Structure formats: C-alpha cells, structure tokens
Amino acid sequence: MNNISLYLTTVLIWGSTWIAITFQLGEVAPLVSVAYRFALAGILLMLFCALLNKRLRFGWREHLSMFLQGNFLFGLNYWLMYLTTERISSGLVAVIFAGIVFLNILNGRLFLGRPIQMHVLLAACIGICGIAMVFWPELAAVESQGGDIWVALALGLGATYCASLGNIVSSHNQQRSIPVLQANAFGMSYGALSMMLVAAVMGLEFNFDTRTEYIVSLMYLSVFGSIIAFSCYLTLVGRLGADKASYASLLFPVIALQLSAWFENFQWTWLSVMGLCLVLLGNVLIMTPRQRILAILNPEQKVEAPES
C-alpha cells in the first residue's frame, strides 16, 4: 500500500472505533476488555505470521524492544486513557491526545536524534488549534468537569506520552529490521498480558459478555482497530517518521464527529467547520511539496528530511 492509502485506512478505521467501543461498555471492566482486545489481536497476528512463514524467532534484546512497544502502545496508553475518559468529556480527551504530535517531535529529537523541522512544528500548531476549535463547546465547559479535572489532565498526558514512546520504540524497532507485523504480534501479546496482570492486582473480574454486540465489536476492535490500523499506522511511522504519522490523531476525532452527525444528530457549527479546515491545512503543510510528490510516486521510500 502507498502512504496515502495507509494514512486514509488508519484515519477511517480509528475514526469509527468509537462506535465499537460503546458496545464494549457494560458487564466487562474496560481494562479487561482492552486485555481481551489485544490478546485476540496478538493471537491472530501470530497465526497469520506462522501461516506466511514469517520469522517468529528473535533475540532477547529484540523481545525487550517489542515488550516496551507493547506496554507503551497497547497497554499503559489504553489503561490511562480509559481512566481519563471516566473523569472528563471525550472532546477534552481528544484535544489532550492531539498533543502526541508535539511529543513525537520532541521524543524523536531526544531518542532518535531527528531534527526538529519547522514546517512540521507549524503544521502541528495549526492542527492543534483546529482540533481545539472543533471541540470548543466542551473546552469552554471545562470548569464544570468536576474536581477530578487536574487528575484527569495528568492521566491524559501520561497516556499520550506513553503512546508517543510507543511510536518512538516502533520506529527504533523498524530501524533494527524488526518487521511491523511481528513486532505488533509480540507487542500486543505482551501488552495484553501486562494489562491482565494489572487487572488481577486491581481485583477485577475476568468475566465475558456473550451478547452478539460485544463479541462483534470485540472482533472489529481486534482485527480492524488493532491489527489493520496499527499495522498501517506504524508502517507510516517507519516511512515518514513518528512526527508526521501522528498527525492522524488530529483527523480521526473529526471522522468520529462526522459519524456522530450521521448516527447521533451531532450538529456542525461554523466554528467546528473552521477548525476542520485548519486541521486539513495542517495536514497539507506537514510535508514539503517535494516530500508529498515522493510519498505518491515512491511510496516505499522513507520520506524524511535530511539530517542537517
């Protein structure tokens, strides 16, 4: 798949997963559902890799890297974000998580030595302003969120930072020639095991919801939301860099809102439309014209700025 197809697939799938997540809420604790989701995704990916005779034997250092990727990206990130959404509105959560664009720029510089590109930083600023405008009604009501607002902000920032570290570790793993599929297979398995351990320590019940809605949504989140979307997204991280790939986090809340407009009567306002325009403008600016041409004509090439 070329970069544009990978990008669109990621945004469209993650923009629709909120519908599936609503069917996960109820009898099963959210943390346990997350563990089920990534355990199933890890098992399916392992079987897929085995059927294709993909390499599944790695050294302990490679397993350590995949363990870190799994816990940052498929474990701690989701656990902390669920704790955040229990305390504040989804709009504020979306704005907090949008900060991953800046964190990926910073962590890419700190851990991978990537230069900070001013056009990427500018695009990130424009995109953050746009997503804030889209969710402005919820941001304006932040004082009514309750006494847990500062705790929620800390949890949300922690979740976002874990996701950013997971992006950076994935980029590092790809530089070490660990394929995305195998890294995700082991990473999701490690993340699921860690979350099961946390759930057990917290005394949560490992029950299961036999409703058709729960099972179908679990399959969708595992196959599409985890296996396909993360494979596409992390491939982009390897090709374009974590800073550019993470701009998808600004677009999929917009897709979710449009789906909400179709199914839940969400009403777009002139402010949210202007915000959407800013998000799209930032998406255009995040790569230089030359890089945009290369992304289309030579999709397998890593489109990065020279190290200077």
Side-chain angles (χ1 to χ4, degrees), residues 68-302:
L68 291 174
Q69 176 181 325
N71 278 275
F72 283 134
L73 202 54
F74 311 124
L76 290 172
N77 163 34
Y78 277 84
W79 179 35
L80 294 176
M81 195 56 73
Y82 267 106
L83 293 177
T84 304
T85 55
E86 291 176 353
R87 292 168 169 80
I88 56 176
S89 64
S90 59
L92 185 53
V93 172
V95 175
I96 294 172
F97 193 75
I100 192 174
V101 180
F102 292 112
L103 291 176
N104 279 355
I105 293 172
L106 175 63
N107 287 331
R109 177 61 179 172
L110 290 176
F111 297 109
L112 300 177
R114 297 183 185 278
I116 296 178
Q117 303 173 55
M118 294 310 298
H119 70 281
V120 176
L121 190 60
L122 174 62
C125 291
I126 292 173
I128 291 289
C129 290
I131 206 71
M133 291 172 67
V134 169
F135 290 101
W136 181 251
E138 294 185 50
L139 294 181
V142 68
E143 293 183 0
S144 65
Q145 300 284 329
D148 285 342
I149 181 64
W150 295 110
V151 175
L153 287 173
L155 289 170
L157 289 173
T160 307
Y161 194 73
C162 285
S164 176
L165 289 178
N167 284 196
I168 299 302
V169 175
S170 175
S171 182
H172 172 71
N173 288 342
Q174 292 182 64
Q175 290 179 359
R176 295 181 59 192
S177 299
I178 301 177
V180 170
L181 283 181
Q182 289 95 311
N184 282 354
F186 283 104
M188 289 178 184
S189 300
Y190 286 136
L193 288 173
S194 295
M195 291 305 97
M196 287 180 181
L197 178 60
V198 171
V201 171
M202 293 175 63
L204 299 178
E205 181 183 358
F206 286 88
N207 58 331
F208 191 80
D209 191 340
T210 56
R211 289 179 303 125
T212 301
E213 294 92 336
Y214 183 86
I215 295 173
V216 172
S217 61
L218 179 62
M219 290 296 298
Y220 180 81
L221 290 170
S222 297
V223 176
F224 289 91
S226 300
I227 294 176
I228 297 176
F230 269 111
S231 295
C232 292
Y233 173 72
L234 294 178
T235 299
L236 282 175
V237 168
R239 291 183 185 179
L240 304 179
D243 50 357
K244 298 183 181 71
S246 63
Y247 205 89
S249 65
L250 301 182
L251 281 171
F252 65 75
V254 176
I255 299 296
L257 283 182
Q258 181 55 48
L259 290 174
S260 181
W262 289 336
F263 298 108
E264 297 181 339
N265 297 318
F266 169 80
Q267 299 295 321
W268 286 92
T269 65
W270 67 269
L271 188 63
S272 57
V273 171
M274 287 180 61
L276 172 59
C277 292
L278 285 181
V279 172
L280 295 176
L281 174 61
N283 187 65
V284 172
L285 294 177
I286 203 164
M287 288 191 291
T288 65
R290 174 179 176 274
Q291 290 171 336
R292 286 195 290 271
I293 293 172
L294 286 176
I296 297 173
L297 298 181
N298 193 2
E300 301 299 328
Q301 181 173 336
K302 292 185 178 181

Side-chain angles (χ1 to χ4, degrees), residues 44-54 56 181-182 185:
L44 291 175
L45 265 179
M46 288 285 191
L47 292 174
F48 181 74
C49 290
L51 286 173
L52 295 182
N53 292 319
K54 299 280 187 181
L56 290 174
L181 283 181
Q182 289 95 311

